Structure formats: structure tokens, C-alpha cells
Amino acid sequence: MWTQIAQHISQSTQQEFRTKNRRSVNGGCINQCYSLIGDNITYFVKINQASQVEMFAAEALGLKQISDTKTIRVPQPICWGMSEKISYIVLEWIQFSLGTNQSWEEMGRKLGTMHHYQGADQFGWEQNNTIGSIPQINIWTDSWADFFAEYRIGYQLKLARRRGGNFPECTQVVEMVRKLLSNRKPQPSLVHGDLWSGNVAVTQEGEPIILDPATYYGDHEVDLAMTELFGGFSGRFYRGYNEVFPLEKGYQKRKTIYNLYHILNHFNLFGGGYGSQVNHMIQRILTSG
Ligand code: ADP
């Protein structure tokens, strides 16, 4: 399998790659991660079961689309595929640093600029992808309220109830989300889709970079909301973001709706204590209508 991955790298880059060393990299929530070290270049490799090959195909496409906006750096996808019983993706290796106030502010500005990029006039994406390892439905839709209510909250809530979560009935929640978002008519923005602090970094040269996206065209506020969910973003990030994309009225209320999606997803991925947080958020949403 590793020989085949090295061959695939050589084919894709048109440069002979021979693995001198391989090290395991910590921090992956979903995949096993490695560095593949060659004579004068290193690559980052994620592997999973063969059935996850579509997940890697979508990650490669998402990275390419973000890269094509020429607004914020992402690791360049090199190749992806299947070998024996596993699937893999190979990315450019990035050496990270702690970053400075300046790099955080620049990250905010660059993300805001990416959110202004206009590449679609509907909400959705050209294929379904995954959030964590859970499917993310991206059927092109004209109305943001319909899209978010059905394909984000409705889809995850249905899964969560099937997993045994004791949550209110789907229709009631979906209809309330649809109603609360009915006046929200954003320009579809290319969003990262899973923007927690583990998915942003700064290179050794001080350049901000975003990793591991769950890309789609949506309300740019979904990314902003997620940065606040688990913390870890510097105040300078928001200052930079606000310079290019000032906050709009009603964001604080929408934030709970947008983050319910991620907490439902965490319940579906990890179960346990996320259930009570889901119920707390749903109650806030149902009583705010
Ligand atoms: P997963 O898909 O399993 O969540 P991630 O893409 O988040 O995995 O990567 C796991 C960790 O590996 C990250 O937190 C980061 O520290 C490191 N990492 C991610 N991408 C790269 C890269 N291109 N080069 C070097 N290290 C990386």
C-alpha cells in the first residue's frame, strides 16, 4: 500500500518520490495521519477504510476550489485513491508555527475575502461531502432557509433521533428554523464548513492557512459562528474579518441556529454529553420564534 501511494505521488507530481521515513501525525479526528518523508520533500497522508474514498475525493475538490479563489492558502492536494483495503489522500506538507497577532488578523481578512468570492448563485455544492465522517447533503437550492432547515438541521436531527437521541420531533424544529431564516437572503459564499480552531493554522512564514474543509456555498456566517463554538480564535481574527465583512444585524440569533448543526453532528459522531447541549439549543430556537 505505501509503495503504491509513493508511486501515485511520483505520477501526480512527475517527480520520482521514494519514501525514506514515515511518521504518524497526531490530531486527526477522523483519519489516521502520517508524514511521508522523501529525500528532499515531505507529504502529508491521511488514510481510512476503502469505503471513505469519496470523502477524500470531496476533500481534494474542496481544497482545489478554495485554492482557485486565490484568497486564502490551503494545502495543495497531490492525489487520492484506494490501495488494498484503504483509501488515502496525499497533501502538500505544511510546517506550522504559532503565528502572530498579525497572522491572525490576516487570516480574518483573507477568510472574509474568500466569503466575498462569487462562484455560485444557489446554495449547495456540486457533490455531497462529509462533515467529520457524516454525510453532508449539498443539493443546489434557491432558498437559504430551505437549504439550512432541510439539509443541515433536518438531516442531522433525523440521524440523531435514529441514534436514540431524545430530541423534539424533526418537523417542528425544521419548520422553526425555516421560519427564523426566512428573511435571510445572503449571497452564496464559498464556506470552509468546519471552521474550528483545529482546522486553521499559520505556516512557518507567518501565512494563515485553513485545513480539512467541508466546503459548500452557504451563508458566510456559518463559518464565523463555528469559530465561536469551541473558542481558540484570537480577537485579532475578528478584527480582520470585520474589516472586509462587517457583522450584519441578527447574527447573534442566527449563530445558535448555525451552531446547532455542528452540535448535532458531534452527537452523531461522538454521542454522549452532546445530547443535552442539543436539547438546550433546540429549546432556545423553539422559544425565539
Ligand atoms: P482529520 O481529517 O482526521 O480531522 P486533519 O486534516 O484535521 O485530520 O489533520 C490532522 C492534523 O494533522 C491537523 O490538526 C494538523 O496538525 C496536521 N495537518 C493537517 N494537514 C497538514 C498538512 N498539510 N501538513 C502538515 N500537517 C498537517
Side-chain angles (χ1 to χ4, degrees):
M1 158 191 125
W2 289 107
T3 314
Q4 211 174 321
I5 294 176
Q7 278 169 358
H8 200 173
I9 294 173
S10 303
Q11 263 170 21
S12 305
T13 58
Q14 306 271 306
Q15 265 175 0
E16 176 73 14
F17 178 75
R18 258 180 307 127
T19 312
K20 268 181 30 191
N21 202 351
R22 183 180 73 238
R23 295 205 187 114
S24 164
V25 175
N26 293 327
C29 300
I30 304 297
N31 305 293
Q32 278 171 266
C33 304
Y34 297 90
S35 60
L36 270 198
I37 304 159
D39 285 322
N40 45 23
I41 192 161
T42 299
Y43 292 102
F44 180 68
V45 184
K46 302 205 261 190
I47 66 170
N48 208 314
Q49 296 162 353
S51 57
Q52 297 295 344
V53 67
E54 286 304 317
M55 173 177 81
F56 288 141
E59 180 172 346
L61 182 64
L63 288 170
K64 182 175 181 313
Q65 286 198 3
I66 294 176
S67 174
D68 286 349
T69 67
K70 299 193 171 17
T71 53
I72 188 162
R73 184 158 171 200
V74 288
Q76 290 301 313
I78 309 295
C79 57
W80 53 268
M82 266 198 283
S83 173
E84 295 163 26
K85 287 193 172 118
I86 62 113
S87 56
Y88 61 87
I89 185 168
V90 180
L91 307 176
E92 167 193 14
W93 175 263
I94 308 283
Q95 202 65 45
F96 299 130
S97 71
L98 281 178
T100 59
N101 280 338
Q102 227 174 349
S103 32
W104 275 101
E105 204 167 306
E106 190 62 10
M107 185 182 302
R109 271 194 293 268
K110 285 182 169 220
L111 186 77
T113 310
M114 177 179 106
H115 285 161
H116 279 301
Y117 175 82
Q118 293 186 6
D121 50 15
Q122 285 180 302
F123 303 97
W125 203 42
E126 53 196 84
Q127 64 178 77
N128 292 340
N129 50 6
T130 48
I131 175 90
S133 53
I134 306 267
Q136 178 164 265
I137 310 301
N138 294 321
I139 297 168
W140 289 114
T141 307
D142 288 326
S143 146
W144 170 244
D146 288 346
F147 180 85
F148 199 80
E150 298 283 347
Y151 303 132
R152 293 295 176 263
I153 301 301
Y155 183 81
Q156 288 270 353
L157 187 54
K158 230 173 268 166
L159 279 185
R161 281 169 56 94
R162 244 185 266 151
R163 281 200 68 177
N166 185 17
F167 305 127
E169 210 244 309
C170 288
T171 318
Q172 189 192 7
V173 182
V174 167
E175 290 320 314
M176 181 56 87
V177 167
R178 198 195 309 275
K179 181 179 155 206
L180 290 171
L181 292 178
S182 59
N183 292 325
R184 179 79 183 146
K185 312 248 182 257
Q187 172 68 41
S189 294
L190 187 64
V191 297
H192 175 283
D194 194 8
L195 200 64
W196 68 291
S197 56
N199 282 343
V200 298
V202 176
T203 68
Q204 236 169 15
E205 296 74 37
E207 188 178 10
I209 182 160
I210 54 178
L211 316 166
D212 201 17
T215 322
Y216 65 100
Y217 280 90
D219 183 347
H220 67 101
E221 287 180 356
V222 297
D223 276 349
L224 210 53
M226 194 175 188
T227 65
E228 295 194 58
L229 187 57
F230 304 115
F233 282 71
S234 145
R236 298 290 285 263
F237 166 85
Y238 298 101
R239 196 200 285 187
Y241 189 89
N242 217 46
E243 258 176 42
V244 295
F245 219 141
L247 267 193
E248 291 157 72
K249 220 171 130 234
Y251 165 70
Q252 294 301 333
K253 237 176 155 182
R254 288 188 290 275
K255 187 166 79 178
T256 308
I257 302 175
Y258 293 161
N259 282 340
L260 172 61
Y261 174 58
H262 295 293
I263 298 298
L264 275 168
N265 186 50
H266 273 65
F267 176 82
N268 286 322
L269 284 169
F270 311 116
Y274 289 106
S276 57
Q277 201 176 346
V278 166
N279 268 321
H280 182 72
M281 291 171 101
I282 290 182
Q283 282 320 313
R284 272 181 67 185
I285 290 166
L286 291 178
T287 52
S288 70

